[in-house]
Every structure is written in structure tokens, then in C-alpha cells.
């Protein structure tokens, strides 16, 4: 595929989804677009590696197609390890916050509503990857990850992996990490030297 044509096609796909999401989801899912997007993200032999911008477009399109549709999520099963790769703190795109936020959205859409994909996530230590990312992420990503994890941990297998997790950085448990984040958020809102007063927004 020509890179310019591919990138333009992704933008067109996003435009169709944003204008008439319900109709577009039905038509595009029937056209096996979800499978095509997963293959694109996998960058198989003979297919050029996606740029960060094109990767974000493909991940966003996948997220929109699978949102609220367990059948579409099942079709996107192959995306689970690819999306987790985008969350790894040491990944090549780890510093791209917009892409990371989009990947979290896609995991939410692809995994949370599909028990089989939850199992795939757990098999690949996905909950552990997300908790590790949570510990090292800036505030905006933390808030998004916490919301996603709240839905994922409603599944027993995912919750068990969270309970068993220990941070490779601090050796904290999941519960200790969450309490630590809570204390950090309190300090951020109140201010360490504000005497209990909210800090000035200026």
C-alpha cells in the first residue's frame, strides 16, 4: 500500500465513524475492516511500519468500531497484544501521551465487554502491564487507566492478576499503589504547604 493512500484512508474511516457511528459500525464490521485494522497494526512482512500518527488513527478507529459491540470486540481479539505493546513504559512510543490514551480507550472497547479477550489480556500479563504503566504515568494517563482498570477488574481473572501483582520498581502491591496514588492526588489538590487551603489556580 502507498503510505499516503493508507493514511488518507484511515482519516476517511475516522470521518465516517464520527459522522454516523451506528451505520458506519454495521457496514464496516461486515466488511471485515476490524480484521484489516488489526493486520495493519501488526505490520506483517511486506507492510510498511505505521507512523505514530497513522497508528493513533488505526487504534482510534478500532476503538470506535468495537465500542459497545461484543461481536466486534471478538473480531478484534488479535489486537490485544498489539495494544498492550503501546502501554509498555519502555516502548518506542511510550512518550506519546495522545497515542497511549487512545490505546487505553481501545483496550477498554476491545477487552472490557468480551470475556474471551479478558482471558487473552490476562494470559499476556496485561493487567500487570497496565499497573506498571499506572505507577509511572503522568496524571492524565493515570486517571484514564484507573477508569479502564475499574471495568476490567470486574472480571475475576483480571482481579486475581491485580491481587498477585507486585511493582517491579517499588515492590508495592496493587492496593499499596492505589493508596499511594490517592495520597499523591490529595497532595496535588491541597498542596503540601497550603495549610489545608486549596492552592491558588494562578
Amino acid at each position: 500500500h502507498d503510505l499516503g493512500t493508507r493514511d488518507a484512508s484511515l482519516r476517511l474511516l475516522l470521518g465516517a465513524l464520527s459522522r454516523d457511528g451506528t451505520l458506519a459500525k454495521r457496514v464496516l464490521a461486515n466488511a471485515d475492516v476490524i480484521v484489516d485494522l488489526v493486520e495493519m497494526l501488526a505490520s506483517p512482512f511486506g507492510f510498511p511500519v505505521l507512523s505514530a500518527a497513522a497508528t493513533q488513527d488505526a487504534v482510534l478507529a478500532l476503538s470506535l468500531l468495537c465500542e459497545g459491540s461484543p461481536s466486534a470486540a471478538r473480531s478484534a481479539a488479535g489486537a490485544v497484544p498489539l495494544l498492550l505493546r503501546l502501554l509498555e513504559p519502555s516502548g518506542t512510543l511510550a512518550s506519546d501521551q495522545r497515542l497511549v490514551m487512545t490505546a487505553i480507550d481501545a483496550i477498554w472497547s476491545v477487552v472490557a465487554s468480551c470475556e474471551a479477550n479478558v482471558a487473552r489480556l490476562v494470559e499476556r500479563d496485561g493487567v500487570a502491564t497496565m499497573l506498571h504503566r499506572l505507577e509511572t504515568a503522568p496524571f492524565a494517563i493515570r486517571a484514564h487507566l484507573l477508569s479502564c482498570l475499574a471495568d476490567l477488574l470486574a472480571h475475576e481473572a483480571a482481579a486475581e492478576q491485580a491481587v498477585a501483582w507486585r511493582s517491579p520498581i517499588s515492590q508495592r502491591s496493587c492496593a499499596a499503589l492505589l493508596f499511594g496514588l490517592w495520597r499523591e492526588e490529595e497532595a496535588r489538590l491541597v498542596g503540601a504547604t497550603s495549610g489545608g487551603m486549596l492552592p491558588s489556580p494562578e
Side-chain angles (χ1 to χ4, degrees), residues 60-170:
L60 179 55
L62 186 67
S63 177
L64 291 172
L65 284 166
C66 294
E67 185 179 13
S69 175
S71 62
R74 285 192 292 274
S75 298
V80 173
L82 307 175
L83 296 171
L84 285 173
R85 190 186 307 164
L86 295 175
L87 294 190
E88 292 175 356
S90 59
T92 57
L93 298 175
S95 62
D96 189 328
Q97 290 195 33
R98 290 180 61 189
L99 178 54
V100 171
M101 295 279 277
T102 305
I104 295 167
D105 273 334
I107 288 174
W108 214 337
S109 297
V110 170
V111 177
S113 65
C114 178
E115 196 74 42
N117 286 349
V118 171
R120 291 183 180 90
L121 184 90
V122 171
E123 286 170 5
R124 290 162 177 80
D125 291 328
V127 174
T129 297
M130 296 176 76
L131 289 170
H132 185 197
R133 182 67 182 191
L134 180 64
E135 186 171 31
T136 59
F139 173 76
I141 291 178
R142 283 181 178 181
H144 214 45
L145 263 174
L146 283 167
S147 297
C148 180
L149 280 165
D151 281 350
L152 291 176
L153 297 187
H155 299 270
E156 184 177 357
E160 288 176 353
Q161 188 165 101
V163 169
W165 179 80
R166 291 295 180 275
S167 165
I169 298 172
S170 63

